[in-house]
Amino acid sequence: MPLPNRGAPLNYQFEFGWLAEYYPQIVKGIGITIELIAVGAVAGISLGIFCAWVRALGPAWLKPIVALYVELIRNTPFLIQLFFIFFGLPSLGPQLSELQAANIAMVVNLGAYSCEIIRAGIQATPKGQFEAGASLAMTRFETFRHVVLVPSLQRIWPALSSQVVIVMLGSAVVSQIAAEDLTFAANFIQSRTFRAFEAYIVSTAVYLALAVLLRQVLAIVGGLIFPRRAAR
Amino acid sequence: MIEFTIWDILRNLLLATRWTVVLSLVSFVGGGIVGLGLLFLRISKRAWLRSLAKYYIELFQGTPLLMQLFIAFFGLGLFGIDVPAWLAAGLALILWSAAFLGEIWRGCVEAIAKGQWEASASLGMGRLQQMRYVILPQAMKIAVPPTVGFSVQVIKGTALTSIIGFVELSKAGTVVTNATFQPFTVYGLVALIYFALCWPLSKSSQILERKLNVAHRNH
């Protein structure tokens, strides 16, 4: 394979021939990126629902702990959270594989962001809903579970979907601890072929397609969990 | 083996924090200028200018910042320019922030009641005059909280520039870890420094937003 022609301005020959040889790497990388965001979204939103419940309605002693967690995560870069989990935590005991560390980092990250989004949805619930639940002899938790939660999620679903897309794009960083995602594949290809620009253009296009696709999937999922309801 | 005290570690990290701060400021101010241009395109009367800005924003919001950094770093090289890391980092972060700021500000401009446009038009103002004297002064007020909030994203975004070799706080964290073999302490401190930079901004954004809501409720 010819080396790229460096030097003279714009005298560059684009070369995508490497795709034929390296596309399995890219497909594998896409698979891992999808796996990361699937696990991250499901577990992260679950964690977010729990934390939002604590902050809005939960026991008083748990509130400051959750508030500290949310503020710490929201005000530090994902890269540092990832490094802390992958390089820092093993000194306390648990040895994590790259993928485990990446999964944990994404869940912890999305958990904090979705907590704030979901809390806003819960706080927008009309007071009458809680009172109606209480009048049916439901406990506070039952009212939350059966009356408040789903309409709250429905209210903030668009914001939550955007956050999931942001976290998916942010997952490009996990290549830095050698989790073999799409960016890792791009780095691998550019180190083998020296076709850095082309490799990154291709993977950027794939990320763009994934972001569009993810938005569609989240809209469909939203349509499934939130059956048509009368307008509020 | 040399022993490193916490103070040695912290001092080195704080020295590198300067570059995180400088890069954040450059990206935020540069992004603001380009973002203002995008805002004008986004609300222009010509459809093709509007969709141009729309595609720009979709592109930069729909792809990872890390990829944008890589493309700036390797792409500029194709033009025969020898690209230092700070140039690629600054350029990518400016273009990225511009996309987000342009979109945030568009929301603020569109939140201004239509009557304001019509009233200023009836006074014979041109489009630029309308923006300058009527729309922007009002839009700026509601734009402050989300803009301050976005500055936190910019600071966190600068951490990615360590990956293309720009030496700032995150890179210094990696370097110091490699020297001290204390990742828990070092990355813990790095996280705390980022927190110290970002938290006051997050908090003031929240407080500003609350104040604004109160002001609006009284209308």
Side-chain angles (χ1 to χ4, degrees), chain B residues 1-19:
Chain B
M1 198 179 123
I2 311 167
E3 285 296 319
F4 293 93
T5 63
I6 291 277
W7 169 241
D8 289 325
I9 295 173
L10 191 61
R11 198 187 50 210
N12 280 296
L13 293 179
L14 284 174
L15 283 173
T17 306
R18 288 178 303 173
W19 297 108

Side-chain angles (χ1 to χ4, degrees), chain A residues 53 133-134 136-149:
Chain A
W53 171 74
L136 291 174
M138 288 181 170
T139 64
R140 274 166 67 88
F141 183 77
E142 281 170 339
T143 309
F144 174 75
R145 161 76 186 77
H146 296 291
V147 180
V148 176
L149 180 59

